[in-house]
Amino acid sequence: MSTPYRMVMTTCDSQDNARHIAAHLVLNKLAACVNILPKIESIYVWQGKVTQDEEVKLLVKTKSALVSKVIAAIQAEHTYDVPEVQVIEVTAGSQQYFNWMEEVLN
């Protein structure tokens, strides 16, 4: 079973950039809600070396039809050269929450 909703994830280097992106998405009706999870630790390879950073995670709740616009907005507003953008298909959930998303995003 599938729904017409998606969760888009990204990470930011600062709380300020995370809040900026979240507000931009919500104000432009690209996301119904964005959760900001502060202080996650990320270990990854960048420019040939292992890097360890403190980052901020964003969980963006949106509709499938808006995903390409969400990705474009994240890339435009992000401070990273190569921002993480991953899209997760929402297969089930609260119909009341989905109804609220529809109201907010229309």
Side-chain angles (χ1 to χ4, degrees):
M1 184 176 158
S2 183
T3 70
Y5 306 103
R6 300 293 181 266
M7 183 180 319
V8 181
M9 298 187 312
T10 191
T11 52
C12 297
D13 64 350
S14 71
Q15 193 82 9
D16 286 343
N17 188 229
R19 285 183 181 134
H20 171 76
I21 291 171
H24 178 81
L25 294 172
V26 171
L27 289 171
N28 287 286
K29 293 192 173 198
L30 297 175
C33 174
V34 180
N35 298 122
I36 300 174
L37 307 173
K39 292 189 179 184
I40 64 166
E41 186 175 343
S42 298
I43 300 173
Y44 55 95
V45 175
W46 181 249
Q47 299 179 338
K49 66 183 209 180
V50 175
T51 304
Q52 184 173 350
D53 281 322
E54 193 173 274
E55 294 183 296
V56 178
K57 187 77 153 180
L58 296 181
L59 304 177
V60 179
K61 284 61 162 275
T62 192
K63 297 197 304 189
S64 305
L66 296 173
V67 165
S68 61
K69 290 180 180 181
V70 169
I71 292 171
I74 289 171
Q75 291 172 331
E77 302 298 323
H78 214 288
T79 58
Y80 287 167
D81 294 334
V82 182
E84 168 203 4
V85 180
Q86 296 182 38
V87 180
I88 299 171
E89 181 178 4
V90 176
T91 59
S94 163
Q95 189 58 52
Q96 291 171 318
Y97 188 81
F98 296 150
N99 293 344
W100 170 79
M101 286 180 68
E102 288 294 331
E103 289 175 27
V104 170
L105 293 175
N106 285 326

